[in-house]
């Protein structure tokens, strides 16, 4: 069990769930102390038992800038149309299992054919399907780190072995661009080179935050009938991102990274855990990402509405002074 394993699971641990010693034991292949009491219950696969479920803490504070959510709700018109649709839909019938109309419109938007578009209930389901089909037992995943922890979790559930370090030779490679949590967008020519280095392998480029990027992207705005409204929200976030970036860059000792996403990643002179706690005491939630590879004492703040961003900057100023 290396430091790397401990760092890998630490961000996902609620202190009330598992202690360090238990995690170390589980990573080393020993069973959780409670497992012995539960032998009369169905047991999960042994390779899954040591894994800690993906969870993100949900603190109850007024200013929530910890989960990369949009600062504004979807347009009123969209909500009204959805509500009307719910009243007329044939709920007792199976829907179109191939999502034909949706895939055709998405294909149109991205200059593809419908056969080249797959839809699923969010990224977790999409990744699970990809790892089941192309990963699984005996196959490997390479992740360009640091990156969102979801890839490792879903790969593990599918039985895919995650390799640390150089992804060369992996059956599946994941690039998160713009990256969560650093905000860095991988240039298109680098992605092309990665594909060339992995002929016949699956290269997944997760562009969950592409709307906020200045880089050309394969993805686009997905709210189809509401592209203008979505573009207005994106413009607000991009403007506020610059304002928050400039303010962070002016704080003594703070190092902030350029971002192509709806969040900023920054390092503080104080330990990140203490900074996060100090902000929580002042009603502001942001994410401590120091448990990820290469990001000691880094935090991630989601760009919110202007008032929330001001509250964050004021609270951070107090915590660091
Ligand atoms: C890079 C990245 N991809 C995917 C997801 C999950 O997105 P979805 O809303 O599709 O489940 C997240 C959520 O944090 C993310 O950061």
């Amino acid at each position: 069990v290396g430091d790397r394993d401990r760092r890998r699971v630490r961000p996902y641990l609620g202190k009330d769930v598992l202690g360090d010693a238990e995690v170390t034991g589980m990573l080393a292949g020993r069973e959780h102390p409670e497992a012995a009491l539960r032998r009369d219950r169905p047991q999960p696969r042994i390779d899954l038992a040591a894994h800690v479920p993906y969870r993100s803490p949900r603190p109850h504070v007024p200013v929530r800038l910890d989960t990369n959510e949009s600062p504004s709700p979807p347009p009123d018109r969209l909500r009204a149309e959805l509500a009307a649709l719910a009243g007329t839909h044939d709920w007792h019938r199976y829907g179109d299992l191939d999502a034909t109309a949706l895939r055709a419109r998405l294909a149109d938007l991205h200059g593809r054919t419908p056969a080249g578009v797959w839809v699923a209930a969010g990224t977790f389901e999409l990744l699970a399907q990809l790892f089941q089909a192309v990963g699984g037992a005996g196959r490997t995943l390479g992740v360009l780190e640091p990156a969102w922890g979801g890839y490792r979790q879903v790969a593990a559930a599918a039985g895919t072995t995650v390799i640390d370090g150089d992804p060369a030779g992996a059956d599946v490679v994941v690039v998160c661009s713009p990256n969560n949590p650093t905000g860095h967008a991988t240039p298109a020519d680098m992605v092309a080179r990665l594909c060339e280095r992995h002929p016949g392998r699956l290269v997944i480029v997760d562009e969950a935050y592409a709307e906020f990027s200045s880089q050309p992207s394969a993805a686009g705005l997905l709210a189809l009938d509401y592209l203008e409204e979505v573009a207005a929200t994106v413009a607000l976030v991009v403007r506020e991102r610059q304002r928050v970036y400039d303010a962070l860059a002016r704080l003594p000792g703070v190092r902030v990274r350029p971002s192509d996403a709806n969040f900023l990643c920054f390092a503080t002179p104080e330990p990140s855990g203490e900074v996060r706690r100090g902000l929580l005491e002042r009603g502001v939630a942001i994410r401590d990402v120091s448990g990820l590879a290469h990001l000691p004492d880094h935090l991630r703040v989601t760009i919110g509405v202007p008032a929330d961003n001001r509250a964050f900057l004021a609270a951070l100023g107090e915590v660091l002074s």
Side-chain angles (χ1 to χ4, degrees), residues 2-309:
D3 278 355
R4 194 188 163 77
D5 286 321
R6 281 197 205 94
R7 272 203 310 276
R8 182 151 59 79
V9 295
R10 192 167 8 106
Y12 306 107
L13 288 182
K15 277 280 170 265
D16 53 327
V17 181
L18 294 174
D20 259 9
E22 285 155 334
V23 171
T24 309
M26 287 166 74
L27 285 167
R30 292 193 293 277
E31 66 181 3
H32 185 275
E34 271 183 39
L37 304 173
R38 294 189 184 161
R39 250 189 271 283
D40 56 336
R41 308 218 190 137
Q43 297 296 306
R45 271 173 18 216
I46 192 76
D47 57 317
L48 276 189
H51 280 269
V52 180
Y54 179 86
R55 53 166 61 83
S56 62
R58 303 200 65 87
H60 295 282
V61 290
V63 180
R64 295 286 314 278
L65 301 174
D66 57 337
T67 45
N68 293 347
E69 292 158 329
S70 168
S72 3
D76 288 346
R77 262 192 321 134
L78 170 59
R79 289 197 280 183
E81 274 188 46
L82 276 176
L85 197 64
T88 55
H89 185 75
D90 284 336
W91 291 107
H92 62 304
R93 298 291 178 204
Y94 287 119
D96 173 8
L97 300 182
D98 292 323
T100 315
L102 175 61
R103 283 173 44 233
R105 290 202 56 188
L106 288 169
D108 242 18
L109 193 68
H110 299 295
R112 308 252 144 196
T113 60
V117 177
W118 190 252
V119 296
T123 306
F124 278 107
E125 186 180 63
L126 205 52
L127 289 174
Q129 292 170 344
L130 287 172
F131 284 129
Q132 277 166 8
V134 186
R139 298 235 173 146
T140 52
L141 164 73
V143 183
L144 269 63
E145 298 279 10
W148 182 55
Y151 312 121
R152 288 171 172 272
Q153 298 275 332
V154 183
T160 312
T161 304
V162 184
I163 48 178
D164 287 325
D166 187 356
D171 297 295
V172 185
V173 177
V174 180
V175 186
C176 183
S177 176
N179 183 280
N180 179 11
T182 68
H184 173 73
T186 307
D189 60 330
M190 271 191 67
V191 174
R193 272 206 301 283
L194 198 66
C195 294
E196 278 162 21
R197 278 178 52 209
H198 294 80
R201 311 289 173 94
L202 177 66
V203 177
I204 301 173
V205 184
D206 179 355
E207 298 186 313
Y209 303 98
E211 283 94 335
F212 306 100
S213 176
S214 55
Q215 299 267 342
S217 148
L221 307 174
L222 299 186
L224 297 178
D225 286 334
Y226 296 89
L227 296 182
E228 276 175 32
E229 285 94 331
V230 174
T233 299
V234 169
L236 170 76
V237 168
V238 169
R239 253 194 333 271
E240 282 293 297
R241 182 177 71 199
Q242 187 63 47
R243 205 174 63 78
V244 177
Y245 177 94
D246 292 342
L248 284 175
R250 280 195 297 271
L251 286 174
V254 170
R255 282 170 297 129
V256 55
R257 296 173 179 235
S259 170
D260 267 287
N262 65 330
F263 48 82
L264 289 164
C265 189
F266 62 99
T268 52
E270 315 282 331
S272 53
E274 283 173 30
V275 175
R276 177 175 173 273
R277 264 193 303 281
L279 288 171
L280 269 183
E281 284 160 13
R282 289 163 177 81
V284 179
I286 68 168
R287 188 65 63 84
D288 178 359
V289 294
S290 60
L292 297 178
H294 317 306
L295 295 173
D297 281 321
H298 278 70
L299 296 130
R300 187 196 70 196
V301 61
T302 305
I303 303 301
V305 292
D308 285 356
N309 300 333

